[in-house]
Amino acid sequence: METHEAILIKQGAEARVYKMPFGEGRCAIVKERFKKAYRHPVLDEKLTARRVIQEARCLQRLRRAGVDTPTVYMVDTPNSLIYMEYVDGSSVRDYINSRAPMNDDDERLLAQSIGKSLAVMHDLDIVHGDLTTSNMIVREGSQSLVLIDFGLSMVSSMVEDKAVDLYVLERAMISTHPDTEGMFQCILDTYGKSSKGGKAVRKKLEEVRRRGRKRTAFG
């Protein structure tokens, strides 16, 4: 990747994320997955390529199903790069914090958008793997909810995996956004009504919560 016009905007454990010009009058996000020095080079290349392809496919499947995700422009598998749409907007984390305390209508509409998007995602058997309010964006202008960062995603029909996805989001909201229990409940209610398997996932979520409380209590 030519990096002289690229600006590093995020570096995580798995990837670097850059913003750069792409075509005439638009920008792209470029996600570059790291090589893992501790793995055999051939195995690392295969696993990394699989991850890159998996993330791009998840984004495209969700978009075809009506969930707002960044448009994938190009996938460069040999160099572990995904070029995708730069979404102009605020992360849901910043959106909530900038409006705290949120009025009831805004909170309800945002929670319903999240619940509906997650319901479609799970009905496609896509598990995000890192659901936080930092991995959702409120698109500027349209206020559409955009799901991002599917680097840890997987395809799974298991109710357990989907329940853990929701549990991760619940814990993230509790730690990042105090007093949003009602908002998360609205997300769950909307999810339950919108997802074909929502009832089973919500029942499994109760089991996951109990296990989480035991781990917290006993270390």
Side-chain angles (χ1 to χ4, degrees):
M1 181 180 65
E2 294 292 333
T3 59
H4 60 281
E5 292 185 302
I7 300 170
L8 180 67
I9 59 173
K10 181 182 177 183
Q11 178 159 338
E14 297 289 326
R16 297 183 190 91
V17 178
Y18 298 89
K19 179 183 177 183
M20 65 179 293
F22 190 85
E24 190 173 342
R26 64 178 175 178
C27 290
I29 289 293
V30 185
K31 188 169 185 177
E32 177 186 31
R33 294 191 72 91
F34 302 137
K35 287 181 169 59
K36 302 291 187 181
Y38 57 83
R39 287 197 296 234
H40 187 281
V42 175
L43 176 62
D44 182 66
E45 185 177 341
K46 287 182 179 179
L47 291 175
T48 303
R50 188 182 304 167
R51 273 289 179 191
V52 169
I53 293 167
Q54 170 83 353
E55 182 169 4
R57 282 178 176 167
C58 285
L59 289 168
Q60 290 171 324
R61 286 183 64 204
L62 284 163
R63 196 164 184 83
R64 285 197 298 268
V67 177
D68 196 350
T69 60
T71 302
V72 176
Y73 295 147
M74 184 171 70
V75 179
D76 180 353
T77 308
N79 292 306
S80 307
L81 300 171
I82 303 176
Y83 293 75
M84 65 190 98
E85 172 193 7
Y86 170 74
V87 178
D88 190 14
S90 301
S91 70
V92 167
R93 176 176 180 161
D94 291 343
Y95 186 86
I96 292 173
N97 289 341
S98 68
R99 287 162 174 76
M102 292 182 71
N103 69 58
D104 291 345
D105 287 341
D106 286 348
E107 183 177 291
R108 176 177 50 80
L109 288 172
L110 180 57
Q112 288 174 343
S113 294
I114 294 170
K116 288 175 184 175
S117 294
L118 299 187
V120 175
M121 181 180 76
H122 283 172
D123 284 349
L124 291 172
D125 289 337
I126 295 173
V127 174
H128 187 281
D130 188 24
L131 278 178
T132 69
T133 52
S134 295
N135 287 335
M136 305 172 187
I137 295 175
V138 178
R139 193 183 284 273
E140 187 70 32
S142 69
Q143 301 293 292
S144 177
L145 181 83
V146 187
L147 298 183
I148 65 169
D149 198 355
F150 284 79
L152 297 177
S153 65
M154 62 179 177
V155 175
S156 174
S157 60
M158 291 182 64
V159 172
E160 170 91 9
D161 291 334
K162 297 171 185 179
V164 170
D165 229 12
L166 295 180
Y167 182 70
V168 169
L169 176 60
E170 182 178 33
R171 300 311 301 173
M173 289 186 68
I174 288 170
S175 64
T176 310
H177 309 289
D179 304 319
T180 54
E181 293 88 351
M183 182 177 178
F184 185 76
Q185 188 59 50
C186 185
I187 292 171
L188 275 189
D189 291 343
T190 305
Y191 176 92
K193 293 172 186 173
S194 305
S195 170
K196 291 178 289 188
K199 186 175 180 180
V201 175
R202 290 190 63 176
K203 184 177 179 181
K204 181 63 71 172
L205 175 61
E206 290 301 324
E207 294 180 28
V208 174
R209 282 168 166 165
R210 286 196 292 273
R211 294 202 301 266
R213 283 194 288 268
K214 284 181 182 178
R215 282 197 297 270
T216 301
F218 298 107

